[in-house]
Amino acid sequence: MRELTYVRATSAAEAVAAVTADPHARYLGGGTNLVDHLKLGIASPEVLVDVSRLPLDAVEETERGLRIGAAVRNSDLAAHPLVRTDFPALSRALLSGASGQIRNQATTAGNLLQRTRCVYFQDASTPCNKREPGSGCSALEGYGRYNAVLGASESCVTTHPSDMAVAMSALDADVVVLGPDGERRVALDDLHRLPGAHPERDTTLAHGELITAVELTRSPATRTSTYEKARDRASYAFALVSVAVALDVVDGEVADVRIAWGGVAHKPWRARTAESLLRGGGLDEQRVRDAVAEELRASETGLDTAFKVPMLTGITARAVLRLAGATR
Ligand SMILES: Cc1cc2nc3c(=O)[nH]c(=O)nc-3n(C[C@H](O)[C@H](O)[C@H](O)COP(=O)(O)OP(=O)(O)OC[C@H]3O[C@@H](n4cnc5c(N)ncnc54)[C@H](O)[C@@H]3O)c2cc1C
């Protein structure tokens, strides 16, 4: 039997030192993803450093918005009054994910860093470049309903699974990270990476870097924000496609719009081309559909994923127009 050492860190600095010193050490948040991977034999750390009980479990109001501790549970974050009023997209995204029991256990940092649900990644008997670099990508010719349509590579066509991360992308979140050389901030958009030739690397974090918090800045757009998710079942299912929108319309013209998509790429996809086409003009369904079409010009679909283009277009138009009805 393989030995696994469990360490409960008493401070963030102690946790960083422990994981940095050992290439086989990993952080443990709520464990709802990592422990599954241990059981499936697709992760084999020798040391688990538990960071779920560090004093990083508060949601604090700041001058600009909110600071969310890395160990805040998904349920608590979704229910927080200031999240519900100032960042409703985040609350909706969290509540659309997993089940009540899992949300009670899952942490903010762990949710951001959960790994793909690609069936081949989770099946250690199949080739998968993300799990075992150089072994091949079974999803290229295999079951492809959840595959990416933007930013994929020959090495990997999988999608990022976190609903919360998509909302945080549209909310322009910053991730606060502690490493052996101190603290740094990473824009949520720069946290996850496209697969390229190295799909085994999900993020731009170095080994040992610990997420300590996520910071959000409130604005009229974040207050008028939403998250919509299309999936195979009404609950307990990952997104086929999803959209987070933050919108501010002033005197009939778009003053601020932010759109992020889930279920389409190796990372939350920020639809910046569509945003720039929508900013400054009025809103009607055709304008939104045209802007989305421009964003999706680079998309590549196959038989299994062709449905994602009309689905994304419809879900995005609906979310934007619903919000437009709700803004001043
Ligand atoms: C049946 C089921 C259905 C689900 N459905 C959905 C869904 O619809 N939508 C959705 O978004 N999610 C869904 N999930 C995934 C769930 O949201 C994640 O498992 C959960 O959010 C992970 O959080 P955790 O704290 O348990 O992470 P863990 O499992 O503890 O950790 C995940 C990763 O994060 C790392 N980590 C943890 N904390 C830190 C830190 N502070 N700094 C750096 N690294 C850290 C760990 O080392 C590990 O690599 C589902 C899960 C299950 C089991």
Side-chain angles (χ1 to χ4, degrees):
M1 191 189 280
R2 201 168 42 84
E3 275 199 21
L4 183 60
T5 306
Y6 171 88
V7 179
R8 188 176 293 169
T10 57
S11 72
E14 182 192 312
V16 171
V19 174
T20 305
D22 184 344
H24 304 294
R26 294 275 296 276
Y27 296 119
L28 181 71
T32 60
N33 194 225
L34 186 52
V35 173
D36 275 356
H37 289 176
L38 297 180
K39 291 189 226 160
L40 291 167
I42 59 177
S44 48
E46 291 169 10
V47 180
L48 287 182
V49 178
D50 188 346
V51 291
S52 66
R53 295 173 209 214
L54 291 179
L56 301 172
D57 58 351
V59 180
E60 294 160 303
E61 189 171 11
T62 64
E63 208 173 295
R64 295 188 312 155
L66 286 185
R67 182 179 168 94
I68 302 159
V72 171
R73 305 288 169 171
N74 287 178
S75 304
D76 295 334
L77 188 56
H80 195 282
L82 289 175
V83 174
R84 291 171 57 132
T85 54
D86 292 357
F87 307 95
L90 179 55
S91 186
R92 286 177 61 101
L94 283 160
L95 292 174
S96 78
S99 63
Q101 291 92 333
I102 292 168
R103 294 195 295 270
N104 286 344
Q105 179 71 13
T107 62
T108 301
N111 188 296
L112 286 178
L113 299 181
Q114 63 177 294
R115 305 205 71 194
T116 181
R117 307 301 286 205
C118 178
V119 290
Y120 301 104
F121 174 76
Q122 299 197 103
D123 178 353
S125 69
T126 61
C128 168
N129 287 322
K130 185 179 260 304
R131 181 170 27 76
E132 200 180 326
S135 61
C137 174
S138 304
L140 275 174
E141 303 294 335
Y143 180 73
R145 189 164 168 75
Y146 286 87
N147 285 359
V149 298
L150 287 163
S153 74
E154 279 297 302
S155 298
C156 183
V157 291
T158 197
T159 49
H160 180 76
S162 166
D163 293 298
M164 186 190 78
V166 176
M168 285 185 170
S169 171
L171 297 171
D172 276 337
D174 279 329
V175 180
V176 185
V177 175
L178 184 67
D181 301 325
E183 195 172 277
R184 70 183 180 104
R185 296 164 72 87
V186 191
L188 196 278
D189 241 13
D190 298 327
L191 178 70
H192 301 100
R193 48 184 302 286
L194 292 177
H198 290 286
E200 73 279 8
R201 284 167 36 212
D202 293 345
T203 71
T204 53
L205 297 182
H207 176 74
E209 284 194 310
L210 176 78
I211 295 182
T212 55
V214 174
E215 292 191 351
L216 298 177
T217 303
R218 83 173 78 74
S219 73
T222 68
R223 286 201 186 94
T224 311
S225 65
T226 193
Y227 184 76
E228 305 226 1
K229 175 173 175 181
R231 47 189 154 171
D232 280 327
R233 290 188 308 273
S235 73
Y236 217 40
F238 286 87
L240 290 166
V241 302
S242 69
V243 64
V245 181
L247 181 71
D248 184 31
V249 178
V250 178
D251 296 333
E253 297 208 336
V254 176
D256 189 5
V257 60
R258 309 188 218 148
I259 301 171
W261 287 332
V264 301
H266 198 249
K267 58 182 284 185
W269 187 271
R270 188 69 186 264
R272 293 196 187 273
T273 301
E275 291 174 9
S276 66
L277 288 169
L278 289 173
R279 220 166 270 130
L283 278 178
D284 59 49
E285 179 159 359
Q286 197 53 50
R287 261 198 100 217
V288 183
R289 284 179 173 271
D290 290 347
V292 168
E294 211 45 45
E295 182 77 41
L296 285 171
R297 232 176 227 279
S299 64
E300 287 183 51
T301 60
L303 270 182
D304 285 350
T305 51
F307 75 92
K308 290 196 175 187
V309 167
M311 198 178 252
L312 263 182
T313 308
I315 198 174
T316 305
R318 189 174 67 181
V320 171
L321 296 173
R322 272 190 186 159
L323 285 179
T327 58
R328 44 200 159 103

